[in-house]
Amino acid sequence: MKKLLILTLVVLMIAAVAFTGCQKEEAEKTEAPKVTEAPTEKAEDPTPEPEVKIDSITVTSGLWSQPLEQQFIREEVLPEFEAATGVTVNLEVVSGNDILDMLEAQKASGEWATDVVMTHSGDMPKYIGFEYVTPLNDLLADMDITILEAFNGSTSEGGNTYYIPISADVYLTIANNKALPYLPAGADMETLTWEQYKEWAIAMAVGEGTPRVAFPAEPVTAVVYQMGGIGLSYGAGFPEINTDGLKSAWGLVGEMMAADAILEASFNYGNPIDMMKSEEAWLSFYHMVPVGEVYSSAPAKFTIGPAPAGPVGNGTIAGAWGIGITAGTEKKSAADDFVKFITSEKILYKISAGTGGFIPPVEEVIEVLGNEPTDEVIKKGLGTLNAGIPHGVPGSNYQDWGAVKTVYDEVFQKLWDDDGVVDVAFLDTQQAKLEALLLP
Amino acid sequence: MKNKLKQFTPYMLLAPALIYYIMFWIRPVIKAVFESLTDLEGSLSIANYVEVFKEPVFAEAFGNSMIFAIVSVILQFVIAFMLALLLNKKFKGSNLLLFVALIPMAVPPTAIAVLWRTAFSSYGWLNNMMQKAGLIETPIQWLTVRGKSALSFLILIDTWTVLPSVMIILLAGLQNLNKEYEEAGYVFGASRWQVIKDITIPILKPTIVTAIILRMISAMQVWLIGVMMFGFGRVPFLVERIAYYSDVVPLLDNSYKMSVTYSVVVTVIVLVSAMIYLKLNSRGRKT
Amino acid sequence: MNTKKLITRTLFLLFLVTMLIAILVPFFAFLATSLYSSSEVYQYPRTMMPRFTYDMKITWEDDMYQLSVYEDDIEDYELKIYTNSPEKLRIYLKKQYSVQLTDEEIVADFSKSKDGTAVYMQYKKDLLYNFKTFFTITSNADKAIMNSIIAAGWTILISLSIGSMAGYTIARYRIKWKKQINLSLLIVRMFPMVAVSIPMLVYLIRMGLNGTMFGLAIVYSVGNIALTAWITNSIFQGISVELEEASLVFGANKIQTFFKITLPLAFPGLVACSMYAFLAAWNDSIVALILSNSNPTLSLLIYKAIGMSGDIQLAAAGAVILVTPSLIFTFIIKNYINQLWGDVKF
């Protein structure tokens, strides 16, 4: 016993010494980069820079996280740029959070390894605020494209435009053509209402004897966005749990659950791709990229429609990806060329169609959309964007967006367990939880 | 003089390990423990621990982890031991069979998830085989299991994955075993089962204890397979809660504190369990 | 007496066979998945064997090619896509069916349908398509493989040297607090690494080891040294002291005894430990993601390229690539264990 005591004391002593050593180093650690007040004006360089041959640029992208998308870009898009300019593109696809860390390190050390960055609209304010990206006003003046204005709130600040949006996404409806016979009388996928969607779902469950709707509900994935979209259609804001709009939304979903119209397998998936491709599910309302992937696996078998409408309109959660140039890049001319290349109408169309159907937010591209089935996804998305009620993801208003998702997941799970009966008291508790997560 | 050196040799041999751990493990751990003992304002308090124990999911996670550990360790030990005995016999082809038995160990954790999701999805090969054999009419939705069924599910998958690693330890011990002890038993007319029970197992005790304790410690910390098959929160485990706070909701004010508090709680639970097991074991031993 | 033996024998055999099937079937299914095309994954019902060819029907209607593929479950051709662009068809056939054709081939084959008759073609599926895709997506696979080997090598070196020294000491020497040291070795495995990785990362960066394989090995060894010590402890305990004493009696000194007598006997155990160390380093992707994202190991490369995507056949292909060296290592090691004990060759 005594020996054990002595041993423990010795270990603690050593640990204490080690720990105090740690403390000193802590104090010396540099603080996180401060956010400066005004965006810095890039001074005009009077002397022309000596001609340095640039042979490669690094593009760090949060977009194209799916391997098939990456493959498409690498095989079908980048070689064209390399052939035209002789500059190789080093493309790295990294998650959004990781890019923020990388750029923080680059800015702190002064060594900018990244030249071009692709960021989601939800994160753009951070990049602009931390000065990781440089204004593109001169570049834009040089290019002759017209960008849709829907995303100016994210891409621009203080009169400067920092990002050019290259893709936008909304939620769409997708149905296996086998589901079409079950459409309620008078309903049409182009003008579907949520009431009709619900009736359709229930008709299929009754007629087929098995659920046919995919409502991906894997924890911490997309319940928040699906419910948010329905809520918007009923006049709610986003994110909300217990307002009237959401009460209607929960009620609608509850009725589908009560009629056994929703696949239980939905709880295992973060997207409807598997359920729709295996044809277990015939109907879903989801983000247009997975919808696009299902659709393009056999375009003749599926029909896409815009987001269903509620009394107030077609609600959908929307986002965009933009391309920007880092503040400290040393290869600006090549980076400029790359931005021009990506946003040129032929390439932008190729990317949008080839990677599952994003909406190219550049008017000139929209005009070249054809009648091909693969353009359908884009057109429907565009229709929803222009005529519907899109709403962005206010991730930066909340302590942790994952926690917000969990609040929605809990309501959805309880709704399922209660056989679709909405528990208003529970909605109120969850709303309180949601509001507790708001940043002051 | 030489005697003194001899006395110090063992400690010198142990020193590298000790130094290594002080540098790379004790420091972060002590930091983590301190973090768990300070609340959001920075003062010493056990508020984090109260928070953890108050969580309704804590009880569920605790129960799941413990049941998982006990059932899986017993199951895995029995099967691994039988396999080790069989493979120790060096019959024709035992070489190759040993290799087959080792295959699951070579498969990385991410691949395990792929492997089992392809097995148990409603269009996966298990349903396919059963349908082709006429056993079922429509595909079974394996992945929608909840509660105790889900736990059993995970125990089976985990057994598949870790069986070779338990078996290897037992096999190594068996191969070191002096055959003469067993042969002596046979000479005296004991049956196969008696020999195993009264000679092999007692001699193998240190190895068996090693295998069980190591497996128990790992089993109580299982979480990744649960998340890969069912997502977070469906089948809560103690360490799964840690991953939840550090990966899923990392930006809450108290996320890091919760994760380190859970870590300390887990360590204590595992430590206590291990000590209980060792105590129970040494009670049966004579000096 | 004889029947009892027969029954026990049969039971044992049955057990063995069941275990082998239980291990091999999921594994082969996994291998098969890596050879599937994108559409094959979702076929139901189906056999486990991957397909080799696809039967397709092309007709020309409304100024567009109508492509149908033969589906076994409905025993008919199902319309999949209609378009008049050969490029779109080429991309479609490649992505969904792993059928690789050039635009010219498509035009040559399909345009026969323009005169009104249906064209029936059978195309070969590229079985290795998933693997080729993997190498296209990942730009520096060979460097990653080297990194994994280096990381694994360092891990084995560190764990085995420090760990077996500790294990031998605990087994052989009479030290005070032996029991407590034993227990403290276990404690290391009791603290979930998930929470400790971040402070460790910070520490390694300050030491300048961020992004190096040596830094990774340090993290991997934390758990492994204790494991090695524990395993070698019980192995050395199992080697009877009399053998060593006999060797000393015959005039060898301690070091010679260790290398000529003790070590050979402990070899199986040491080999088992090296396998654990190897696998810990080779298979990890999460620690590598935090510590050396810019200089990835093979496992991290696969995780980043394919990990969370829904294309399970690609994930399977990546995993097969990762598993192969481990299997080879295991195969070599297993031979060695048995050779040491002079068994019957298979």
Side-chain angles (χ1 to χ4, degrees):
Chain A
M1 201 47 214
K2 199 162 146 207
K3 294 183 183 161
L4 181 58
L5 212 60
I6 299 179
L7 177 69
T8 329
L9 278 172
V10 169
V11 169
L12 278 178
M13 248 173 44
I14 300 177
V17 170
F19 186 56
T20 42
C22 256
Q23 291 280 44
K24 262 198 248 156
E25 292 169 56
E26 286 283 342
E28 293 169 19
K29 202 165 95 164
T30 49
E31 287 171 14
K34 288 205 179 63
V35 181
T36 50
E37 251 75 89
T40 47
E41 281 274 304
K42 271 223 168 304
E44 276 297 309
D45 201 2
T47 52
E49 285 174 22
E51 275 296 312
V52 179
K53 184 155 185 340
I54 302 174
D55 53 358
S56 77
I57 54 169
T58 301
V59 176
T60 308
S61 166
L63 183 55
W64 305 321
S65 57
Q66 294 295 308
L68 287 181
E69 290 171 356
Q70 281 186 51
Q71 184 200 23
F72 178 79
I73 298 292
R74 283 178 209 269
E75 284 180 357
E76 312 273 345
V77 176
L78 296 181
E80 283 195 38
F81 180 74
E82 291 165 12
T85 61
V87 177
T88 31
V89 178
N90 171 22
L91 172 69
E92 47 176 25
V93 177
V94 182
S95 88
N97 284 336
D98 292 342
I99 302 184
L100 274 172
D101 293 337
M102 281 170 69
L103 290 184
E104 180 181 337
Q106 288 180 19
K107 181 170 179 200
S109 65
E111 307 237 345
W112 293 84
T114 302
D115 302 298
V116 173
V117 66
M118 321 244 293
T119 311
H120 193 262
S121 52
D123 290 331
M124 284 178 194
K126 286 187 223 167
Y127 284 69
I128 300 175
F130 283 135
E131 295 186 328
Y132 296 149
V133 286
T134 182
L136 299 174
N137 305 5
D138 296 334
L139 183 59
L140 265 176
D142 221 15
M143 291 160 57
D144 82 332
I145 54 175
T146 331
I147 308 177
L148 295 181
E149 293 194 345
F151 304 102
N152 283 355
S154 310
T155 59
S156 317
E157 197 182 296
N160 292 322
T161 305
Y162 293 88
Y163 282 97
I164 300 179
I166 59 169
S167 80
D169 48 77
V170 294
Y171 273 57
L172 298 175
T173 317
I174 181 167
N176 190 316
N177 292 343
K178 294 184 195 171
L180 296 176
Y182 287 97
L183 262 176
D188 179 323
M189 277 193 79
E190 289 293 317
T191 55
L192 202 64
T193 67
W194 274 110
E195 277 297 311
Q196 290 169 336
Y197 185 99
K198 179 195 72 180
E199 283 166 27
W200 192 5
I202 296 178
M204 281 196 283
V206 171
E208 294 283 314
T210 170
R212 287 294 183 203
V213 169
F215 197 107
E218 188 178 349
V220 206
T221 51
V223 169
V224 57
Y225 302 128
Q226 294 169 84
M227 293 309 303
I230 307 178
L232 285 169
S233 302
Y234 281 87
F238 180 73
E240 288 176 6
I241 301 272
N242 68 353
T243 55
D244 287 338
L246 260 299
K247 286 208 182 102
S248 309
W250 293 117
L252 190 100
V253 172
E255 282 180 70
M256 285 197 277
M257 287 182 182
D260 276 332
I262 300 185
L263 273 171
E264 193 175 3
S266 302
F267 283 101
N268 288 311
Y269 295 102
N271 62 54
I273 296 180
D274 286 358
M275 291 184 276
M276 295 291 296
K277 274 194 185 178
S278 70
E279 297 194 78
E280 274 181 290
W282 287 353
L283 180 62
S284 192
F285 164 70
Y286 207 73
H287 188 281
M288 63 190 283
V289 169
V291 162
E293 182 166 336
V294 174
Y295 184 74
S296 57
S297 74
K301 284 170 63 170
F302 297 98
T303 311
I304 314 184
V312 175
N314 318 59
T316 173
I317 306 298
W321 288 88
I323 188 169
I325 300 183
T326 52
T329 176
E330 294 170 15
K331 305 179 181 175
K332 184 109 190 336
S333 59
D336 285 350
D337 288 338
F338 189 75
V339 172
K340 285 193 199 161
F341 169 75
I342 291 284
T343 53
S344 66
E345 84 193 32
K346 182 165 153 274
I347 297 295
L348 198 53
Y349 170 69
K350 195 168 179 180
I351 294 177
S352 304
T355 56
F358 284 103
I359 304 171
V362 167
E363 282 201 16
E364 285 76 13
V365 177
I366 293 168
E367 281 152 24
V368 298
L369 291 179
N371 291 323
E372 303 277 327
T374 39
D375 292 340
E376 286 301 300
V377 182
I378 301 176
K379 284 202 215 159
K380 295 292 156 56
L382 201 55
T384 309
L385 194 65
N386 283 333
I389 311 176
H391 194 295
V393 175
S396 42
N397 293 346
Y398 289 84
Q399 269 187 48
D400 188 292
W401 191 247
V404 172
K405 288 188 182 185
T406 308
V407 171
Y408 277 83
D409 290 342
E410 286 168 352
V411 181
F412 189 83
Q413 180 69 62
K414 184 154 198 306
L415 195 60
W416 179 274
D417 292 336
D418 290 346
D419 263 321
V421 176
V422 178
D423 180 346
V424 183
F426 190 66
L427 289 186
D428 292 333
T429 335
Q430 295 299 98
Q431 176 76 20
K433 267 199 206 172
L434 183 64
E435 287 167 10
L437 289 168
L438 268 170
L439 282 170
Chain B
M1 209 48 210
K2 197 165 177 203
N3 235 1
K4 264 251 166 103
L5 190 65
K6 245 196 174 165
Q7 223 191 1
F8 277 127
T9 323
Y11 299 104
M12 289 199 308
L13 288 177
L14 281 177
L18 189 62
I19 296 175
Y20 189 92
Y21 278 112
I22 292 178
M23 275 179 41
F24 297 114
W25 189 78
I26 293 190
R27 275 169 57 150
V29 166
I30 299 266
K31 256 217 201 140
V33 173
F34 264 99
E35 185 78 37
S36 73
L37 288 172
T38 56
D39 65 13
L40 284 168
E41 276 89 54
S43 40
L44 270 164
S45 91
I46 55 167
N48 297 320
Y49 289 90
V50 173
E51 188 79 34
V52 163
F53 290 121
K54 259 187 1 189
E55 275 197 337
V57 72
F58 172 74
E60 208 186 334
F62 179 75
N64 284 342
S65 292
M66 294 308 280
I67 299 178
F68 186 93
I70 296 174
V71 175
S72 68
V73 169
I74 296 177
L75 186 67
Q76 285 150 18
F77 173 72
V78 167
I79 300 183
F81 192 67
M82 283 168 49
L83 258 185
L85 281 176
L86 273 172
L87 290 175
N88 192 35
K89 278 184 10 190
K90 299 189 205 26
F91 51 89
K92 212 164 144 200
S94 68
N95 234 351
L96 194 63
L97 292 176
L98 176 62
F99 172 62
V100 169
L102 292 180
I103 289 180
M105 209 167 75
V107 182
T110 28
I112 300 279
V114 171
L115 202 143
W116 292 107
R117 278 194 88 117
T118 56
F120 289 111
S121 67
S122 44
Y123 49 87
W125 53 260
L126 190 60
N127 276 338
N128 258 308
M129 280 168 49
M130 290 173 70
Q131 182 132 351
K132 278 246 149 107
L135 291 170
I136 52 173
E137 290 273 318
T138 53
I140 303 181
Q141 302 281 349
W142 299 101
L143 292 175
T144 53
V145 289
R146 291 186 178 274
K148 292 295 171 285
S149 321
L151 198 60
S152 323
F153 207 71
L154 294 174
I155 290 179
L156 287 175
I157 296 180
D158 185 62
T159 304
W160 189 91
T161 318
V162 304
L163 203 60
S165 65
V166 182
M167 192 196 70
I168 263 195
I169 300 179
L170 296 173
L171 193 59
L174 276 175
Q175 287 184 339
N176 262 321
L177 187 67
N178 200 334
K179 273 220 158 127
E180 290 173 2
Y181 294 116
E182 289 185 321
E183 278 164 21
Y186 286 121
V187 161
F188 284 104
S191 76
R192 178 116 181 88
W193 170 241
Q194 279 174 316
V195 168
I196 295 179
K197 189 162 70 85
D198 293 325
I199 300 187
T200 320
I201 293 189
I203 298 187
L204 222 49
K205 210 64 184 299
T207 318
I208 294 182
V209 168
T210 304
I212 291 191
I213 275 238
L214 283 176
R215 195 53 228 148
M216 187 166 70
I217 294 176
S218 300
M220 283 194 219
Q221 295 179 57
V222 151
W223 70 278
L224 190 61
I225 189 66
V227 167
M228 299 232 241
M229 298 301 286
F230 298 119
F232 279 94
R234 266 273 284 279
V235 188
F237 288 109
L238 288 172
V239 183
E240 182 241 359
R241 293 285 93 200
I242 301 178
Y244 177 76
Y245 280 106
S246 56
D247 289 339
V248 178
V249 290
L251 299 173
L252 291 174
D253 288 335
N254 64 346
S255 288
Y256 184 59
K257 291 196 183 294
M258 290 297 273
S259 65
V260 290
T261 311
Y262 261 104
S263 307
V264 174
V265 169
V266 168
T267 312
V268 168
I269 293 178
V270 177
L271 185 61
V272 166
S273 313
M275 297 194 69
I276 294 180
Y277 175 71
L278 287 176
K279 266 273 146 65
L280 284 175
N281 239 353
S282 63
R283 223 188 269 163
R285 232 191 287 167
K286 307 163 204 146
T287 357
Chain C
M1 210 54 203
N2 235 354
T3 41
K4 197 165 176 213
K5 236 191 170 179
L6 200 63
I7 294 179
T8 349
R9 264 262 165 100
T10 339
L11 280 177
F12 268 127
L13 210 63
L14 211 62
F15 172 73
L16 196 62
V17 167
T18 321
M19 289 315 300
L20 290 176
I21 293 182
I23 293 177
L24 285 175
V25 166
F27 187 69
F28 280 131
F30 165 76
L31 285 180
T33 311
S34 70
L35 298 173
Y36 289 169
S37 67
S38 179
S39 66
E40 251 183 293
V41 178
Y42 300 99
Q43 292 296 101
Y44 184 89
R46 54 156 312 129
T47 55
M48 209 190 279
M49 284 299 292
R51 297 186 67 114
F52 295 98
T53 59
Y54 280 106
D55 294 306
M56 303 193 182
K57 181 172 99 173
I58 304 105
T59 56
W60 177 260
E61 267 169 67
D62 299 330
D63 275 344
M64 291 199 267
Y65 291 112
Q66 314 266 331
L67 177 68
S68 309
V69 178
Y70 188 80
E71 294 286 340
D72 291 322
D73 51 351
I74 55 173
E75 288 181 2
D76 194 5
Y77 290 90
E78 196 183 37
L79 182 64
K80 301 287 185 184
I81 182 175
Y82 43 89
T83 172
N84 58 15
S85 149
E87 187 187 5
K88 287 248 167 72
L89 286 170
R90 171 176 64 85
I91 294 178
Y92 181 77
L93 286 171
K94 183 176 73 165
K95 267 179 84 163
Q96 304 297 333
Y97 293 98
S98 304
V99 170
Q100 310 245 42
L101 297 168
T102 62
D103 287 356
E104 296 79 31
E105 285 171 329
I106 291 182
V107 174
D109 290 340
F110 287 16
S111 46
K112 295 188 207 120
S113 66
K114 285 195 176 163
D115 58 11
T117 55
V119 175
Y120 291 88
M121 298 291 310
Q122 191 183 70
Y123 286 116
K124 265 188 79 173
K125 185 185 101 183
D126 184 359
L127 278 175
L128 298 179
Y129 179 71
N130 296 329
F131 294 92
K132 292 184 191 167
T133 308
F134 174 74
F135 283 111
T136 318
I137 296 175
T138 59
S139 36
N140 40 12
D142 47 351
K143 198 155 150 260
I145 295 177
M146 248 355 257
N147 277 341
S148 283
I149 295 180
I150 297 175
W154 274 120
T155 312
I156 294 179
L157 202 65
I158 299 176
S159 310
L160 235 53
S161 56
I162 301 184
S164 55
M165 271 202 286
Y168 183 74
T169 314
I170 299 175
R172 283 284 178 260
Y173 287 92
R174 235 178 292 130
I175 0 169
K176 308 183 187 174
W177 316 310
K178 185 188 279 211
K179 240 189 162 183
Q180 289 73 12
I181 294 181
N182 254 347
L183 201 58
S184 61
L185 280 177
L186 279 186
I187 292 183
V188 179
R189 294 185 72 80
M190 295 182 192
F191 198 91
M193 285 302 282
V194 186
V196 183
S197 350
I198 317 241
M200 219 180 265
L201 161 67
V202 170
Y203 188 57
L204 283 173
I205 294 180
R206 271 194 228 126
M207 283 181 72
L209 290 175
N210 183 27
T212 62
M213 295 302 109
F214 185 64
L216 280 183
I218 291 183
V219 180
Y220 297 144
S221 301
V222 169
N224 255 293
I225 290 180
L227 183 65
T228 310
W230 192 259
I231 292 183
T232 49
N233 176 21
S234 74
I235 294 288
F236 283 125
Q237 265 183 32
I239 296 178
S240 83
V241 191
E242 279 86 35
L243 289 168
E244 294 183 345
E245 287 176 0
S247 149
L248 290 172
V249 163
F250 281 108
N253 65 24
K254 272 231 152 140
I255 299 184
Q256 283 174 320
T257 312
F258 182 73
F259 280 105
K260 287 226 158 83
I261 308 253
T262 322
L263 205 55
L265 284 174
F267 224 86
L270 292 179
V271 157
C273 291
S274 75
M275 185 156 26
Y276 286 119
F278 173 79
L279 287 175
W282 187 264
N283 285 343
D284 164 84
S285 51
I286 308 211
V287 174
L289 179 66
I290 301 178
L291 281 170
S292 72
N293 195 7
S294 49
N295 197 18
T297 56
L298 186 61
S299 172
L300 178 61
L301 197 68
I302 294 179
Y303 180 77
K304 281 206 300 187
I306 284 168
M308 296 293 115
S309 85
D311 294 303
I312 217 166
Q313 78 278 12
L314 287 178
V320 168
I321 297 175
L322 197 60
V323 163
T324 313
S326 306
L327 283 178
I328 297 177
F329 189 85
T330 312
F331 191 79
I332 297 174
I333 296 293
K334 85 135 177 47
N335 252 343
Y336 208 16
I337 294 182
N338 274 353
Q339 254 179 16
L340 218 52
W341 297 91
D343 72 324
V344 179
K345 285 263 199 296
F346 174 66

